[in-house]
Amino acid sequence: MSSHPAFDVAELAAGVVLAGAVLALWRKDLRALIPILALQGAALSALAAVLAVSDGNLGLGVVAGVVLLAKGGVVPGLLARVVRADPGSRETAPLVNVPASLVAAGALVVLSYLVAGRITALAPDRLTRLVPLGLATVLVGFFVLVTRRKAVSQIVGLLLVDNGIALVAFLLTAGVPLLVELGASFDLLLVVAMLQVLATTIRARFGHVDLDQLRELHD
Amino acid sequence: MTVYLVGLAALCLASLLAATLSDRYRLLGAALVGVAGSLAALVGAGRVLLTGHPVALHTGAVLPLTGVDLSLDPLGALFVAVTAVVGLAALCYSVGYGAHATPGRTATAMLPAFLATLLLVPAAASVATFLIAWELMALTSLLALLGEHRQGPAIRDAAQWYAAMTHIGAAAILLGLVLLATQVGSQSFAAIDAHHRQVPAPLASVAFVLVLVGFASKAGAVPFHVWLPRAHPEAPSPVSALMSGAMVNLGVYGIVRVGEGLLGGGELWWWLVVVALGIASAFFGALHAAASSDIKRLLAYSTVDNMGLILIGVGAAGALAADGQRFLAALVLLAALFHLVNHALFKGSLFLGAGALQHATGTRDLDHLGGLARRMPATAVLFGIGALSISALPGLNGFASEWLLLEGLLHGFTSHSAITEAALLAGVAALAVTGGLTATAFVKALGVGFLGMPRTERASEAHEVGPSMLAGTALLAAGCVVVGIVPGIALPILDHAVSSALAGGPPRALRSGIGLDLASLSGAVDPALVVVGLLGALVVARGALLLVPRSAELRRPRRAAAWGCGGDTQVPRSEITATSFAEPLQRVFADVLRPDHDLEVTHAAESRYVPEAITFRQRLDDATERAFYQPVITAVAGWGRLARRVPNGSVHRYLAFGFVALVLVLVVLA
């Protein structure tokens, strides 16, 4: 981790992940969310690859491959199938409208910078200084979960949270162990696959995928 | 102490056996080991009672941090002995009671476990040990109460009330005792007793009021009694006997132990409050007992009544002690403890007898019984002994203790403080009123239940219960008779208990002998002489009848009237029922009892002037429940409905809870 290009790539990747999260908050068209997720996956994979090269860590290299495959390829692919089954579906009326959401995202980024100050203070270097971006991605992802109505948006929110966590993990610990990352990726795949089936079933049953109208199910 | 501990261990083993043995041997095995255990505990407690020397034990092995402190002084040993006797009878009884429909493993296992915890509480000698034993008792009694929960929702309702009340009580006791322990700086009872003067008076009062609430709710004192008329009837009968004969006593034990023992007597007003609780309970309990037609509910309310009498005695003793009249205080306390012992004996046997009725006929409703004296003669005799005892007829034990209590209260009028005298006077009045009401209640129970004709088919098909059930009941009834005829035998034991309860060891209140003789006050009674006199009079009267020549009038054959209204065509439906027997009383006390009638007349199809069937239903409300508990329950339910609005089923709202919580935590961290 001595060469400057590695840091540059890492900064770029972290920036892309957060920017992707904010974009996901901005775009109402569900189809537009898929490339954003794929881009985030690719950025995470690139970050892992750069770290693997600079550390000479083969395991991390494999992780980079897995991340690219799962988050950059399979998961967006699965999501794309859900969206394709219901073309023209848009996040028409989010619980918090888009401009307000963007302002909130700004506030969340500020908050994560404030919080992450303590973490970066433990080992201040160029990589750990990027941690707030990961935290902010987690928070924005959570915000998407809370405020968006469509099932697809919910899945996207969950994926954003996961991407944020992965980003923080890569930055702080130079990558989680291979086995853990494999397990986490597999879990994520399963969750997305399940949500895909669920979303399809809900649409078949109720004719829409608007979670807000499902409150009759309580108790 | 060793024998006592062996007894506890045997009861735990009995519980274990009940949980593990096969269905065939479960009841018998648990009962045999349990009976041996109760006998051992009885011997251990008896030794302390007879010698008057306390024994103690401390072990750090069982509980971490605090260890377990056990100590049996004569006061505690008295309660252990009473509990052991009732437990002995209940375990013996449970063999026959469970023989037909074998109760579940939990139910069988909980009876000895409940008994073990009951025996443990009076031996606890530190705050931690006491609270743990108390909690264990609450838990095992709750599980034992639920023994027959499959038979209806009423049991679950009763269990809910019981659980709520017992936990509120336990919380109050916990607060009170912990307050004392922190003020004194030690949690052992001996240390609190030795340094109770360090506790500032207001704090001591707060602590006493807190423990009083807890113990009064366990003793079933009005207005904390609401669980009792629900739980006692619904529990399996051996459990009812244990609850009513042993568990409620521990409430009295707690009040005496903390008030007289740990706090050294305290202030006058504490004890006046106890007397007031006692008077309210005695009156309220006796009235509801007289009006109830469910036999176990009647017995439960009568427990409230008797606990009230005992609390009057305990409170009067405390007030007299606070007045400096140690001799009278000892006398009244002795009377109260004596009544407690007697109540355990007769109420235990009555509950077991009521269980036999329920076992034989499948109902507890007196209106559906009748004529059982011919079908279940042994049960009838045993129940009769209990009923006569509780009505305080001379020659049986209830008379001995009530007489003593009355004497003690009357002699207390020489007290120096007017307010104490007023309290004692009110106590005497309560004793008199409840005496009459209790007699009414048990004339009803005995007369409507056992005499006359059977009112339903089930009652006419009743059969005598098995020998083990009769033996259990007979054990307690025999105790009633023996103590009733020679009450003097109980005095040395009670003397030890009283002198260990009242600090400073007061002089002996009674001269020893077979009767009751107030040593320095005027007043003595010898029930043995009364019994001999009554029996003699009976023999003489019977002999005299033989001598009188029968007149020709009596020898002539009798003829029934043509249309049968002359009285020879008695049918069950024309007999007096429990409800109708209590009806005049209900009218007089309508304000307290608030009877709720429901009369439904179905007419014949041909004419609406001819009624085909008349259904009469009646429900008695508990006035305290409506006044004190319903508003609280309504308020809590209201809050519950409000709280249910928060989770409205929206996924987004649930997610938002998590998100907002996360952001708030981060903001706090930042």
Side-chain angles (χ1 to χ4, degrees):
Chain A
M1 248 195 296
S2 49
S3 57
H4 286 291
F7 287 119
D8 292 339
V9 172
E11 283 172 348
L12 180 63
V16 165
V17 171
L18 179 58
V22 177
L23 267 177
L25 204 54
W26 175 45
R27 292 303 302 267
K28 284 184 172 182
D29 189 351
L30 295 181
R31 276 170 304 179
L33 298 177
I34 313 295
I36 292 175
L37 280 177
L39 191 62
Q40 275 194 334
L44 279 173
S45 165
L47 175 61
V50 168
L51 290 176
V53 171
S54 66
D55 287 2
N57 186 339
L58 184 64
L60 205 52
V62 178
V63 169
V66 170
V67 168
L68 187 62
L69 194 68
K71 295 191 172 170
V74 181
V75 170
L78 285 172
L79 264 186
R81 286 177 61 180
V82 181
V83 174
R84 228 178 296 132
D86 187 15
S89 162
R90 287 169 62 85
E91 185 68 51
T92 41
L95 294 174
V96 176
N97 65 22
V98 172
S101 297
L102 291 177
V103 173
L108 290 175
V109 173
V110 172
L111 177 67
S112 49
Y113 263 97
L114 288 176
V115 176
R118 296 185 172 209
I119 302 172
T120 44
L122 293 176
D125 67 17
R126 280 187 68 183
L127 273 187
T128 50
R129 243 172 276 150
L130 299 175
V131 166
L133 299 180
L135 270 181
T137 310
V138 172
L139 290 177
V140 172
F142 213 152
F143 190 74
V144 171
L145 265 178
V146 173
T147 58
R148 297 304 188 252
R149 290 174 191 268
K150 299 287 178 202
V152 176
S153 315
Q154 299 275 319
I155 304 174
V156 170
L158 189 71
L159 291 173
L160 288 177
V161 171
D162 187 72
N163 285 347
I165 292 172
L167 179 57
V168 173
F170 285 137
L171 292 174
L172 281 185
T173 63
V176 284
L178 175 61
L179 198 66
V180 178
E181 178 58 36
L182 276 179
S185 298
F186 190 63
D187 276 356
L188 193 72
L189 265 181
L190 272 183
V191 168
V192 172
M194 245 155 62
L195 286 176
Q196 184 214 347
V197 173
L198 200 61
T200 317
T201 319
I202 291 175
R203 184 180 313 107
R205 221 21 103 66
F206 301 103
H208 62 82
V209 210
D210 198 338
L211 288 188
D212 221 31
Q213 293 179 19
L214 294 184
R215 62 177 58 184
E216 296 303 318
L217 295 178
H218 76 109
D219 284 349
Chain B
M1 198 72 190
T2 322
V3 189
Y4 165 77
L5 289 176
V6 167
L8 285 190
L11 284 167
C12 295
L13 176 67
S15 178
L16 209 65
L17 284 180
T20 51
L21 280 184
S22 72
D23 280 2
R24 234 173 112 189
Y25 303 108
R26 182 140 42 97
L27 279 170
L28 197 63
L32 282 180
V33 178
V35 163
S38 343
L39 275 176
L42 182 61
V43 169
R47 197 184 290 164
V48 175
L49 277 174
L50 291 175
T51 59
H53 300 306
V55 288
L57 170 92
H58 173 83
T59 168
V62 185
L63 282 180
L65 297 176
T66 60
V68 168
D69 289 290
L70 293 179
S71 144
L72 265 186
D73 64 351
L75 178 65
L78 178 71
F79 285 84
V80 170
V82 169
T83 307
V85 171
V86 179
L88 200 64
L91 278 171
C92 186
Y93 180 91
S94 70
V95 178
Y97 188 74
H100 281 283
T102 312
R105 282 180 193 280
T106 322
T108 326
M110 275 308 132
L111 185 64
F114 176 33
L115 180 56
T117 57
L118 283 172
L119 292 170
L120 184 62
V121 169
S126 72
V127 172
T129 313
F130 184 85
L131 289 173
I132 286 170
W134 191 264
E135 251 337 286
L136 280 176
M137 177 182 77
L139 202 66
T140 50
S141 59
L142 182 62
L143 289 174
L145 161 66
L146 280 167
E148 293 172 351
H149 70 95
R150 285 198 185 81
Q151 293 186 3
I155 299 183
R156 288 191 283 277
D157 180 52
Q160 267 179 1
W161 273 91
Y162 176 57
M165 289 307 291
T166 195
H167 277 100
I168 292 169
I173 295 171
L174 174 87
L175 285 176
L177 288 183
V178 167
L179 179 64
L180 285 181
T182 48
Q183 286 296 316
V184 172
S186 163
Q187 60 120 5
S188 101
F189 279 1
I192 298 179
D193 192 9
H195 304 293
H196 67 83
R197 286 185 206 294
Q198 291 175 8
V199 184
L203 278 182
S205 295
V206 170
F208 181 76
V209 169
L210 281 171
V211 296
L212 181 62
V213 167
F215 289 130
S217 83
K218 188 53 84 179
V222 173
F224 309 110
H225 68 288
V226 282
W227 62 273
L228 204 148
R230 285 187 166 81
H232 287 205
E234 298 300 342
S237 284
V239 178
S240 313
L242 267 185
M243 278 185 157
S244 195
M247 189 175 77
V248 291
N249 295 348
L250 295 181
V252 176
Y253 167 78
I255 294 172
V256 175
R257 170 68 79 202
V258 175
E260 292 289 2
L262 302 189
L263 291 170
E267 294 174 39
L268 179 61
W269 68 264
W270 297 1
W271 301 105
L272 296 178
V273 170
V274 176
V275 172
L277 281 180
I279 291 173
S281 317
F283 179 68
F284 196 80
L287 193 56
H288 268 279
S292 295
S293 60
D294 175 334
I295 186 157
K296 282 179 89 176
R297 200 174 162 83
L298 181 156
L299 293 176
Y301 269 118
S302 142
T303 299
V304 173
D305 157 26
N306 279 281
M307 282 297 129
L309 298 184
I310 294 164
L311 286 181
I312 291 175
V314 168
L320 288 167
D323 254 2
Q325 309 230 30
R326 309 205 60 82
F327 179 80
L328 276 175
L331 174 64
V332 179
L333 187 60
L334 188 144
L337 291 181
F338 193 18
H339 193 63
L340 183 139
V341 173
N342 292 336
H343 172 251
L345 290 175
F346 57 63
K347 191 52 67 62
S349 85
L350 284 170
F351 261 117
L352 295 183
L357 284 195
Q358 194 182 357
H359 198 266
T361 63
T363 178
R364 302 194 307 249
D365 193 342
L366 282 171
D367 288 344
H368 294 160
L369 299 176
L372 293 177
R374 210 164 295 161
R375 289 161 186 82
M376 311 171 66
T379 305
V381 168
L382 296 175
F383 193 89
I385 291 175
L388 295 183
S389 304
I390 201 171
S391 311
L393 287 173
L396 290 163
N397 61 355
F399 168 75
S401 48
E402 287 204 21
W403 178 83
L404 207 52
L405 189 56
L406 204 55
E407 280 286 328
L409 293 179
L410 288 172
H411 281 290
F413 289 156
T414 53
S415 165
H416 307 301
S417 106
I419 188 158
T420 309
E421 280 185 24
L424 295 182
L425 185 64
V428 170
L431 213 60
V433 172
T434 60
L437 288 173
T438 305
T440 315
F442 283 91
V443 164
K444 181 179 70 180
L446 203 58
V448 175
F450 287 94
L451 305 180
M453 293 180 185
R455 286 186 194 76
T456 54
E457 228 165 84
R458 279 163 141 184
S460 62
E461 285 164 5
H463 52 89
E464 185 59 273
V465 292
S468 69
M469 289 171 80
L470 288 176
T473 320
L475 175 72
L476 296 176
C480 294
V481 176
V482 172
V483 176
I485 294 178
V486 278
I489 56 165
L491 293 181
I493 291 171
L494 291 167
D495 254 334
H496 284 305
V498 169
S499 47
S500 85
L502 286 176
R508 296 189 61 176
L510 288 157
R511 200 171 290 147
S512 46
I514 59 164
L516 302 170
D517 188 358
L518 307 182
S520 55
L521 308 164
S522 59
V525 70
D526 229 328
L529 291 183
V530 176
V531 170
V532 169
L534 278 176
L535 286 179
L538 266 180
V539 169
V540 169
R542 185 76 188 94
L545 270 181
L546 285 179
L547 292 180
V548 176
R550 288 204 172 181
S551 66
E553 186 78 22
L554 282 171
R555 289 202 196 112
R556 204 185 302 155
R558 293 185 67 202
R559 285 183 193 180
W563 288 0
C565 290
D568 279 344
T569 53
Q570 188 85 342
V571 290
R573 294 197 55 165
S574 70
E575 291 203 320
I576 203 159
T577 62
T579 312
S580 55
F581 186 82
E583 208 272 339
L585 204 68
Q586 266 176 36
R587 270 177 201 272
V588 175
F589 293 104
D591 282 345
V592 186
L593 292 172
R594 305 277 177 106
D596 188 8
H597 298 296
D598 190 9
L599 195 66
E600 238 174 65
V601 183
T602 325
H603 297 287
E606 294 80 30
S607 161
R608 59 186 202 84
Y609 297 107
V610 183
E612 190 169 39
I614 300 177
T615 326
F616 175 77
R617 247 170 280 141
Q618 167 171 289
R619 216 169 56 83
L620 293 181
D621 254 359
D622 195 317
T624 55
E625 199 180 309
R626 207 180 22 226
F628 299 118
Y629 291 86
Q630 281 310 330
V632 176
I633 292 173
T634 316
V636 170
W639 279 104
R641 269 194 299 281
L642 270 186
R644 273 173 60 108
R645 275 192 212 162
V646 176
N648 64 347
S650 153
V651 180
H652 291 97
R653 187 175 286 202
Y654 298 151
L655 285 167
F657 289 149
F659 181 66
V660 169
L662 176 66
V663 169
L664 279 182
V665 168
L666 290 181
V667 166
V668 170
L669 280 178

